[in-house]
Amino acid sequence: MANNDVPDIASPIRTKAIMETYGLTFKKSLGQNFLTDKNVLMNIVDAGDITAEDDVIEIGPGIGSLTEQLARRAHKVLAIEIDQNLIPVLSETLSPYDNVDIVEQDILKANLPALVEEHFDGQHPLKLVANLPYYITTPIIMHLLETAVKLDTIVVMMQKEVAERIAADPGSRTYGSLTVAVQYEMDAEVAFVVPRTVFIPQPNVDSAIIVLNQKEGDVERPISEMVFFKLVKGSFAHRRKSLWNNLQSIYGKTPEIREALQEALDASEISAQIRAEKLSIHEFIVLSNNLIKVEEKFN
């Protein structure tokens, strides 16, 4: 395991030494910012409740600062890094840990089920931890939610404003289609805020850790997910407009369509004048179920 005489990878002095040794520069195109605060890293591990019973996938390990903390707690860690220049660095910095596998992959193109089957024994809960580049946060989150791999917990560092949107409650200013899409699958909670000062180089915004956990019990699902997501996306297309106006933008404004839309709203016990951000996921599901007749008749 680790040599106690060697500073943690996360320490500013060791981070700078690693950067100098390998001639590394930060790639803006990949949104690279390296954490240099061990306490923050340990809080991330705590947020995921990582134990020796867990297998962990990490996206974007960088030089291995968070990976090191995960390796000390988890049963096994699979670190997926897109930057080929960091692979030899990770092989060196993480060499004291025999429970870490490193692969060079783009998470958006990787065959995650195949990687999981290859690197894990399938006998442990599977969690995912990531410090995501701001510019690609949403595509990665949606990709993870759509994968065939069951992730019990997802712990992600992202831009603070995006985390607040994902964890928002109905009626709040930040509640939107991203909120519904994520909370349709997972329970979401912002664990804590991460100041920009703990990164090298410093980003221009603060970050936050969001924790997504699999929903427990019987999860409500719509009759048609296609209709459900069509409704959600269209309902938030013009946030200042009423649900009624957005529904007409989705389906049309003929007298027949307007009558069918009003019938769907009445059956759902939802006001036509409400705005989308006031609707709960349950209400979106109920309305989408009642809109199936509109889909069948007019599409």
Side-chain angles (χ1 to χ4, degrees):
M1 296 300 286
N3 183 344
N4 292 330
D5 295 331
V6 179
D8 284 2
I9 299 169
S11 67
I13 187 170
R14 190 160 177 218
T15 295
K16 291 176 181 177
I18 291 169
M19 298 291 291
E20 292 174 0
T21 298
Y22 289 92
L24 297 176
T25 55
F26 300 98
K27 294 184 178 179
K28 289 185 178 180
S29 62
L30 297 179
Q32 289 177 343
N33 303 90
F34 296 158
L35 258 171
T36 58
D37 189 311
K38 180 181 176 181
N39 289 328
V40 172
L41 293 170
M42 293 181 70
N43 287 340
I44 294 172
V45 178
D46 288 341
D49 193 23
I50 306 299
T51 73
E53 294 299 314
D54 298 319
D55 284 336
V56 179
I57 299 170
E58 183 190 7
I59 302 172
I63 60 173
S65 56
L66 177 57
T67 325
E68 180 176 59
Q69 304 304 323
L70 291 168
R72 291 174 179 172
R73 296 263 202 102
H75 172 256
K76 187 172 183 181
V77 179
L78 172 62
I80 303 175
E81 175 56 56
I82 191 174
D83 186 353
Q84 63 179 357
N85 294 324
L86 291 175
I87 301 302
V89 182
L90 288 164
S91 297
E92 173 65 27
T93 59
L94 298 172
S95 59
Y97 304 95
D98 58 9
N99 61 338
V100 177
D101 289 349
I102 304 160
V103 297
E104 180 192 340
Q105 293 262 355
D106 178 345
I107 189 61
L108 291 177
K109 298 177 181 177
N111 185 335
L112 200 56
L115 286 174
V116 168
E117 184 176 357
E118 178 183 354
H119 293 275
F120 297 118
D121 61 15
Q123 303 301 311
H124 299 79
L126 184 59
K127 299 180 178 181
L128 184 140
V129 179
N131 176 8
L132 295 180
Y134 297 145
Y135 76 97
I136 203 169
T137 296
T138 299
I140 291 179
I141 289 290
M142 298 314 299
H143 178 69
L144 294 174
L145 294 179
E146 292 165 3
T147 182
V149 174
K150 181 187 177 183
L151 298 166
D152 292 270
T153 301
I154 299 174
V155 182
V156 180
M157 180 184 295
M158 60 181 67
Q159 187 172 336
K160 178 173 174 281
E161 287 75 12
V162 178
E164 290 172 342
R165 283 172 57 199
I166 289 175
D169 293 322
S172 67
R173 178 179 56 85
T174 53
Y175 185 83
S177 57
L178 178 61
T179 317
V180 176
V182 174
Q183 292 189 28
Y184 173 74
E185 296 288 350
M186 311 282 278
D187 291 324
E189 179 183 7
V190 175
F192 59 95
V193 174
V194 182
R196 64 194 74 182
T197 53
V198 299
F199 294 93
I200 297 178
Q202 283 190 26
N204 296 322
V205 296
D206 289 330
S207 303
I209 298 297
I210 193 164
V211 180
L212 308 177
N213 285 308
Q214 284 284 346
K215 291 180 177 292
E216 297 181 355
D218 294 331
V219 179
E220 184 181 20
R221 295 300 188 201
I223 295 171
S224 169
E225 287 194 340
M226 182 193 73
V227 176
F228 172 78
F229 285 111
K230 178 180 179 179
L231 169 64
V232 171
K233 183 178 180 181
S235 297
F236 287 102
H238 306 284
R239 290 187 65 94
R240 294 187 179 182
K241 291 187 177 181
S242 67
L243 178 62
W244 177 247
N245 287 331
N246 279 319
L247 283 173
Q248 290 180 90
S249 296
I250 299 170
Y251 290 103
K253 299 181 180 181
T254 68
E256 294 82 7
I257 291 176
R258 288 163 61 95
E259 182 180 357
L261 290 175
Q262 187 60 60
E263 288 176 357
L265 286 165
D266 290 344
S268 305
E269 298 183 350
I270 293 173
S271 167
Q273 300 310 312
I274 199 171
R275 289 186 178 179
E277 61 263 30
K278 298 290 186 179
L279 296 181
S280 67
I281 294 177
H282 166 72
E283 289 172 315
F284 274 115
I285 290 175
V286 171
L287 181 55
S288 75
N289 290 344
N290 286 313
L291 284 170
I292 289 178
K293 291 180 181 179
V294 181
E295 289 279 339
E296 292 173 345
K297 187 173 181 179
F298 298 104
N299 284 345

